[in-house]
């Protein structure tokens, strides 16, 4: 069984930065693709950033150049560095691990005030 525990959400002013962390239990982390999703109020869940086991990354167009996903396999942790935050980045952010199936974290709230 895999558990994902996130931290780092909160309230920040527009233009500010936050870093989300997601630590996984279990032994799959190093070979799993790790993703960050978000769900804004009244909107569908959106894939924000992806990092595969080899370290290759991909981003939603809405966050390219502002967000950076990274992973530390020695700590079983994936990060999402969010810079130049905008009010439209306000959402619940979910950590996801995928290896043959999905595992989900609970999702920290990120609120960006204008």
């Amino acid at each position: 069984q895999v558990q994902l525990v996130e931290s780092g959400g909160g309230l920040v002013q527009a233009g500010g930065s936050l870093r989300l962390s997601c630590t996984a239990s279990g032994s799959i982390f190093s070979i799993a693709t790790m993703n960050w999703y978000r769900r804004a109020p009244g909107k569908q869940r959106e894939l924000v950033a992806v990092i595969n086991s080899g370290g290759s990354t991909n981003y939603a167009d809405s966050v390219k150049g502002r967000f950076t996903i990274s992973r530390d396999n020695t700590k079983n942790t994936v990060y999402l560095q969010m810079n130049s935050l905008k009010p439209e980045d306000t959402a619940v952010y979910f950590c996801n691990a995928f290896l043959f199936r999905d595992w989900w974290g609970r999702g920290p709230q990120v609120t960006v005030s204008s």
Side-chain angles (χ1 to χ4, degrees):
Q1 193 62 270
V2 175
Q3 288 187 320
L4 302 176
V5 179
E6 300 121 324
S7 62
L11 173 65
V12 65
Q13 287 189 330
S17 299
L18 283 175
R19 188 176 79 158
L20 303 181
S21 301
C22 171
T23 300
S25 65
S27 59
I28 72 158
F29 181 84
S30 64
I31 57 174
T33 294
M34 300 300 297
N35 310 290
W36 286 98
Y37 287 80
R38 68 185 180 187
R39 186 171 64 236
K43 295 187 177 181
Q44 291 189 334
R45 188 175 62 198
E46 174 189 21
L47 178 60
V48 174
V50 179
I51 185 165
N52 67 15
S53 58
S56 295
T57 60
N58 204 0
Y59 299 90
D61 287 343
S62 57
V63 306
K64 278 182 183 176
R66 300 188 298 120
F67 290 12
T68 302
I69 188 171
S70 60
R71 65 192 297 162
D72 185 340
N73 290 343
T74 66
K75 297 180 179 179
N76 278 12
T77 299
V78 62
Y79 304 96
L80 185 67
Q81 178 67 43
M82 304 183 292
N83 299 328
S84 301
L85 282 161
K86 304 174 181 180
E88 51 263 44
D89 294 318
T90 294
V92 178
Y93 283 72
F94 297 92
C95 177
N96 167 270
F98 179 77
L99 181 67
F100 306 119
R101 57 153 287 183
D102 289 295
W103 286 271
W104 294 93
R106 290 182 175 272
Q109 173 72 43
V110 171
T111 302
V112 184
S113 63
S114 57

